[in-house]
Amino acid sequence: MAILEVRNLSKSFDKLEVLKDISFDVEKGEVVAIIGPSGSGKSTLLRCINQLEKASGGSVKVCGLDMIEGYKNGKPVYSPADVLREIRLKIGLVFQNFNLFPHMSVLKNITEAPMCVLKKSKQEAEETAKVLLEKMGLASKAGSYPCELSGGQQQRVSIARALALNPEVLFFDEPTSALDPELTGEILKVIKELAKEKMTMVIVTHEMAFARDVADHVIFMDGGVIVEEGTPEQVFGDTKNERTKQFLQRYNNDFKD
């Protein structure tokens, strides 16, 4: 059974239709890369799945739990609060701009949610945080504050914070877009390691070579619709759609050894 099932998802802001009839599945242990030009609806899609935006239509199911239980007067009716909370606990989102709490230490940033949301003890939360910081190569930074870290270090802390809640699916919204090119590599390395560990991930990215190398399934979006999808070999090496070809033309240098 798919961990994530999205069916006919739509989202409009007033008369602007941003998502149109989006459907896809994500299996356990699968890495799905979502690519496409700016303004194609990629980030809005993640925000709808993570309940940061309300969908205008369609359905989302996470680990068998329905985010939308039905319709009334043509509008979606969301499931009760306890179901939505359970869904939120099963998914994590890493933002492009880190979103760390500036007044909290690195350790506190990671332990806050497990203590408040999962009701873990301080000792248990800190033990988990230290393991994750070690994994991120940041064991020495537990007492530092975000302003004392590089952008790449801050993003690694935000990944550790998301992992501390032990999500079933981890979403990344352009995790390297706010970083200098030389810092991008360290974040992509972390995500590649998570992929090797079979972490289920959905990644919105502009890093085409990375998407080709790490993803099991690639979705190309444009104009709020899924234009083409398939394996990396199909989308990057044997694309059938002219719009996809035009988009990937700009990234030809990414694929040269």
Side-chain angles (χ1 to χ4, degrees), residues 169-185:
V169 191
L170 190 55
F171 295 84
F172 292 85
D173 186 7
E174 298 184 17
T176 62
S177 66
L179 301 177
D180 294 331
E182 63 183 25
L183 297 177
T184 293

Side-chain angles (χ1 to χ4, degrees), residues 19-242:
L19 297 176
K20 310 167 188 175
D21 200 31
I22 300 289
S23 296
F24 67 96
D25 290 346
V26 179
E27 302 292 332
K28 185 174 179 61
E30 188 177 33
V31 178
V32 175
I34 303 178
I35 63 172
S38 297
S40 59
K42 306 183 301 296
S43 293
T44 300
L45 173 59
L46 293 199
R47 291 178 66 83
C48 286
I49 296 171
N50 283 272
Q51 301 180 48
L52 298 175
E53 298 283 356
K54 286 206 167 185
S56 302
S59 66
V60 176
K61 185 176 287 190
V62 179
C63 298
L65 298 171
D66 287 305
M67 190 178 297
I68 295 169
E69 65 177 8
Y71 280 81
K72 186 176 182 179
N73 299 324
K75 294 184 178 181
V77 176
Y78 273 67
S79 293
D82 60 331
V83 176
L84 296 181
R85 180 182 184 278
E86 192 173 350
I87 290 173
R88 280 195 294 270
L89 290 175
K90 293 182 181 298
I91 57 182
L93 175 61
V94 177
F95 297 89
Q96 52 185 293
N97 292 318
F98 324 138
N99 283 20
L100 298 175
F101 298 114
H103 62 291
M104 292 183 182
S105 69
V106 165
L107 188 65
K108 184 72 170 170
N109 261 283
I110 298 172
T111 59
E112 185 74 2
M115 290 168 60
C116 294
V117 178
L118 300 182
K119 306 303 180 185
K120 287 189 174 184
S121 68
K122 181 179 180 182
Q123 180 181 353
E124 187 181 4
E126 288 187 351
E127 286 175 358
T128 300
K130 288 173 181 176
V131 169
L132 289 169
L133 285 173
E134 181 74 37
K135 187 174 183 176
M136 297 294 151
L138 295 172
S140 64
K141 300 295 184 181
S144 300
Y145 285 80
C147 64
E148 299 173 310
L149 305 180
S150 70
Q153 290 171 331
Q154 289 186 60
Q155 189 62 297
R156 278 182 279 160
V157 173
S158 69
I159 294 172
R161 180 177 62 180
L163 290 172
L165 290 171
N166 198 28
E168 293 288 337
V169 191
L170 190 55
F171 295 84
F172 292 85
D173 186 7
E174 298 184 17
T176 62
S177 66
L179 301 177
D180 294 331
E182 63 183 25
L183 297 177
T184 293
E186 61 188 60
I187 301 304
L188 300 184
K189 182 180 177 182
V190 167
I191 299 174
K192 284 181 179 180
E193 287 300 316
L194 292 174
K196 287 179 183 178
E197 295 169 9
K198 293 299 180 182
M199 179 77 204
T200 309
M201 294 184 283
V202 178
I203 308 166
V204 168
T205 182
H206 286 299
E207 301 287 338
M208 295 301 115
F210 167 72
R212 180 197 62 183
D213 292 343
V214 78
D216 300 300
H217 192 80
V218 178
I219 293 172
F220 172 61
M221 287 182 63
D222 189 31
V225 301
I226 293 177
V227 175
E228 189 169 4
E229 60 180 311
T231 65
E233 292 76 18
Q234 290 169 332
V235 174
F236 293 111
D238 190 30
T239 180
K240 306 299 184 186
N241 185 277
E242 192 59 37

